[in-house]
Amino acid sequence: MRVQPTLPPRYLRTPDAANFVGLSIRTLEKHRSCGTGPLYRQLGGRIVYAVEDLCAWADLNVRLSTGDGGGIPMPSDPRAYIIRLQAKARKAQRSAGQ
């Protein structure tokens, strides 16, 4: 059995992350300051986003129609809820990849 090397996580700065999810830089910054955006990291003085966190955040916002107010009710602490959902999604991705 051949073991494939794993790549380190890829991080994007705010302009690249905004482009990746199709938002303006300012909109992504507003989501960050309001606590409604994707998880981010502060490395030194720079804000960076993991690609997998951007994908998980985008998946949280899936809708079936324009009348769909969102299938995921947000609790009183949305950041904790998002962190749990993203951890659950990463766990499912890892188990599916094995």
Side-chain angles (χ1 to χ4, degrees):
M1 177 194 222
R2 182 177 176 193
V3 178
Q4 293 185 354
T6 59
L7 297 174
R10 171 104 194 267
Y11 296 106
L12 302 175
R13 292 186 187 174
T14 302
D16 295 326
N19 186 45
F20 183 81
V21 294
L23 297 175
S24 72
I25 296 168
R26 186 68 186 125
T27 299
L28 186 58
E29 289 171 343
K30 284 181 184 179
H31 276 293
R32 184 172 66 233
S33 68
C34 292
T36 57
L39 294 176
Y40 67 93
R41 290 153 179 84
Q42 187 169 358
L43 305 177
R46 303 193 190 279
I47 300 295
V48 295
Y49 297 86
V51 171
E52 62 190 21
D53 290 335
L54 292 169
C55 292
W57 179 71
D59 289 343
L60 290 175
N61 293 292
V62 171
R63 304 291 187 262
L64 295 174
S65 70
T66 56
D68 185 1
I72 303 172
M74 294 304 279
S76 59
D77 186 2
R79 291 302 286 176
Y81 183 69
I82 289 170
I83 289 168
R84 284 195 304 270
L85 281 177
Q86 289 178 335
K88 191 180 210 182
R90 281 195 292 270
K91 184 178 177 182
Q93 286 175 343
R94 280 188 220 116
S95 65
Q98 293 179 349

